[in-house]
Amino acid sequence: MANPKLLCVFAVLCIFAAVHADSHFEGFEAEDDDFEESSIDPASLRSPPSQPLTTDPNPNPNPQSPPTSDLPKSPPTTTTAFDFWDDDEFEGIPIEHPTSHSDTDPLPTDPKSVDNTTSPHNDNPQNANPPRSFTIEIVCGSFLVMFAINYFTGKRENENIALSWAAQFAAKDSIFEKNFSLLGIGDGGDDSPLLLKEGQTTFKFYASGRRYCQGLLATLELKSRHDLIARIYNLIIPTRDEITFEVYMNDDAMDHVVFAMARKKAAKAMHKDLRDLQRFANLLSPPSGRKWVADDLAVVSESREVASDLITDAVIDQVFGDKAFEKFGKKLISMHFSDNHPGRHKKVLLFKFVLPSAKNMADMTRLVALVPYYIDLIGRYKLSSQARSKTESARQKVAQEALKELRNAQQEAMQRRKAERKKMAEEAEGKLSAEAIRKKEAKERARQMKKAMPRMKMTRGA
């Protein structure tokens, strides 16, 4: 048996040899540990982004890896980049160079993540949303504001024109106040309104209480100043403010009179369009040896006698003469007197004038004065016997034509109703069955045979 002392000495030598070998292993010297630990820069420590951390104790999951060595293992290497790294000391080990990111200018390493990490406030004009345009909203809003402003200003302007006319011709000591006993639409009191507003462009004035007539109705038709579109249209195609006087004469106060006067073009249109002027009147040429109306005017009358009696020298000198017309009569549109007016009232005097502006309302004073003047003139006027016979024969002829037209219309209506009944009977017959049609035909044949048989009269013998 071996000596125990020798065994002890041999064991001590083996341990010493192992310790010495461990301390002198390649690359790991005992005195260098302190130096390496003191040379690590804490700021340089950074985990590589491409290697995820794991808690698996076996870093190499491959089962076929060679068995580990019995030699003592070195401390586990970290993925930290060292400032003092020797590339020649370890061969065959991949070297990773982690990219350092600056806090002030980060640069993404993954090209696929560029679009995902793009800031919403990118300055690229292709990705930035274009600024929204409010042009349409601004234009619409401006138009509405202009429309509202024009509505109130135009409304006020029309009201001022109507009130100016009423103040000039329907107020106290005015033309209509002197010639009519009742003005306005009320009971004639001081608080009764003179004008009746039927719309933003229509105003009406009524007067009554005068001989020869039942009453007078004045209608003011003004431009649509409250409508912005109509105002723009009026700039392209100008229109005028107009006033129309309708005088309803008494039945016994107007003789057979059909008369009209207007500018030449308007007179021709009236003669063509108005039925009473078509039937009874003709365009008259200026008479010789007598003062007549201005050359711009034309007269349509049933006879020359009527025209001469109605166009007096006073009217020519004051309004319709060559000199007076340019100053006082240029606002005339037309005058039309008829005892066969195609309306509710048969005997009517119509005057139509152009309204001036509110400041120049006095310019039409002489034209307005023609209304009461012709009421009295027509009320007192009587035709001569010769002229009356002609007018009566003309009216009888027109009455016969009207009766003939009425009978023709009645016959046409009867034929139309008969045709409608026949059509309805044919439609009803078409819906009948064959048996019903045979019965109807048999009934019709029996009726025809009975009608064709001679009638016999039976008498009793004495």
Side-chain angles (χ1 to χ4, degrees):
M1 177 175 289
N3 191 357
K5 294 182 178 181
L6 293 176
L7 293 175
C8 291
V9 172
F10 181 74
V12 170
L13 291 176
C14 289
I15 293 171
F16 178 77
V19 172
H20 182 74
D22 183 51
S23 61
H24 291 280
F25 190 76
E26 183 180 1
F28 294 92
E29 294 181 357
E31 60 270 17
D32 295 334
D33 293 336
D34 296 335
F35 174 77
E36 291 178 358
E37 292 177 359
S38 61
S39 63
I40 295 175
D41 187 5
S44 64
L45 297 178
R46 194 173 189 88
S47 299
S50 61
Q51 294 182 358
L53 297 177
T54 180
T55 57
D56 191 357
N58 187 9
N60 189 5
N62 190 0
Q64 296 181 359
S65 61
T68 59
S69 175
D70 293 337
L71 297 177
K73 296 181 180 180
S74 61
T77 60
T78 62
T79 58
T80 304
F82 293 91
D83 292 339
F84 300 97
W85 182 270
D86 190 0
D87 295 335
D88 297 333
E89 185 173 1
F90 299 100
E91 297 180 357
I93 298 177
I95 301 173
E96 296 179 359
H97 298 281
T99 57
S100 61
H101 299 279
S102 175
D103 294 335
T104 59
D105 188 13
L107 295 175
T109 58
D110 190 0
K112 296 181 180 180
S113 64
V114 174
D115 296 335
N116 297 330
T117 59
T118 302
S119 176
H121 301 286
N122 193 357
D123 295 335
N124 190 355
Q126 296 180 354
N127 297 330
N129 293 327
R132 184 178 177 183
S133 176
F134 295 93
T135 304
I136 299 177
E137 290 81 355
I138 293 173
V139 172
C140 294
S142 302
F143 179 79
L144 292 177
V145 172
M146 293 173 61
F147 192 90
I149 295 173
N150 180 79
Y151 176 82
F152 292 104
T153 56
K155 174 184 175 183
R156 176 59 61 184
E157 188 174 355
N158 282 348
E159 291 176 353
N160 290 336
I161 293 174
L163 293 175
S164 178
W165 181 88
Q168 183 69 31
F169 301 107
K172 187 177 181 181
D173 296 332
S174 62
I175 295 176
F176 291 111
E177 198 270 338
K178 293 178 180 179
N179 288 276
F180 292 89
S181 61
L182 180 62
L183 303 179
I185 59 175
D187 54 357
D190 296 336
D191 297 335
S192 299
L194 293 176
L195 295 175
L196 174 63
K197 183 178 179 181
E198 292 190 348
Q200 302 300 335
T201 61
T202 305
F203 299 84
K204 290 191 174 183
F205 167 77
Y206 181 77
S208 62
R210 182 181 173 83
R211 61 178 181 175
Y212 304 132
C213 69
Q214 301 174 9
L216 174 145
L217 178 63
T219 304
L220 286 77
E221 293 288 343
L222 307 181
K223 293 188 290 187
S224 299
R225 293 180 175 87
H226 67 287
D227 189 352
L228 181 60
I229 298 176
R231 186 182 284 267
I232 296 173
Y233 178 79
N234 291 335
L235 295 177
I236 302 173
I237 301 177
T239 57
R240 302 174 298 182
D241 297 325
E242 299 179 358
I243 182 170
T244 302
F245 295 94
E246 300 180 23
V247 181
Y248 309 117
M249 300 295 291
N250 296 328
D251 293 338
D252 57 349
M254 187 173 182
D255 210 341
H256 300 320
V257 174
V258 176
F259 171 86
M261 183 172 63
R263 295 181 182 269
K264 291 183 177 180
K265 186 176 181 180
K268 292 179 180 179
M270 293 173 64
H271 184 255
K272 182 179 179 180
D273 298 337
L274 299 180
R275 191 171 183 179
D276 57 339
L277 295 179
Q278 288 179 2
R279 290 179 173 179
F280 304 109
N282 295 308
L283 282 167
L284 299 180
S285 59
S288 60
R290 185 183 184 277
K291 291 191 297 185
W292 200 241
V293 296
D295 295 336
D296 295 338
L297 300 176
V299 177
V300 182
S301 178
E302 187 172 5
S303 65
R304 190 173 294 274
E305 177 184 345
V306 173
S308 299
D309 293 339
L310 295 183
I311 302 175
T312 61
D313 294 339
V315 172
I316 294 174
D317 294 337
Q318 295 293 325
V319 184
F320 299 129
D322 292 331
K323 296 181 180 179
F325 181 74
E326 291 297 328
K327 187 176 182 180
F328 303 106
K330 61 182 179 181
K331 299 294 183 181
L332 172 70
I333 298 177
S334 66
M335 292 194 313
H336 180 203
F337 311 150
S338 177
D339 65 324
N340 277 270
H341 190 266
R344 177 182 176 184
H345 298 276
K346 293 297 182 181
K347 298 184 178 183
V348 179
L349 308 183
L350 295 175
F351 303 85
K352 187 175 290 187
F353 307 133
V354 177
L355 272 175
S357 61
K359 297 180 181 179
N360 302 321
M361 197 60 66
D363 295 345
M364 64 178 306
T365 302
R366 294 194 181 186
L367 289 175
V368 176
L370 292 175
V371 177
Y373 176 81
Y374 274 107
I375 291 175
D376 293 337
L377 182 60
I378 296 295
R380 293 191 302 262
Y381 180 69
K382 299 298 180 181
L383 288 170
S384 63
S385 59
Q386 184 178 0
R388 178 179 292 275
S389 61
K390 291 182 179 179
T391 56
E392 287 180 353
S393 61
R395 279 158 178 75
Q396 290 177 1
K397 184 178 180 181
V398 171
Q400 292 176 1
E401 292 178 356
L403 182 60
K404 186 177 180 180
E405 290 178 359
L406 180 61
R407 289 178 178 175
N408 292 334
Q410 291 177 353
Q411 290 180 1
E412 290 178 0
M414 292 177 62
Q415 291 177 1
R416 188 165 48 251
R417 289 194 296 268
K418 186 176 180 180
E420 290 177 358
R421 287 196 298 267
K422 184 177 180 181
K423 184 178 180 181
M424 293 175 63
E426 291 177 355
E427 291 178 356
E429 185 178 353
K431 297 179 181 179
L432 295 175
S433 61
E435 184 66 22
I437 293 174
R438 284 195 296 270
K439 289 182 179 180
K440 185 177 180 180
E441 291 177 352
K443 186 176 180 181
E444 183 67 20
R445 285 194 299 269
R447 189 178 68 83
Q448 293 293 338
M449 291 175 63
K450 184 177 179 181
K451 186 177 181 180
M453 290 176 63
R455 294 183 180 181
M456 299 178 63
K457 186 178 180 181
M458 297 180 63
T459 59
R460 292 184 179 181

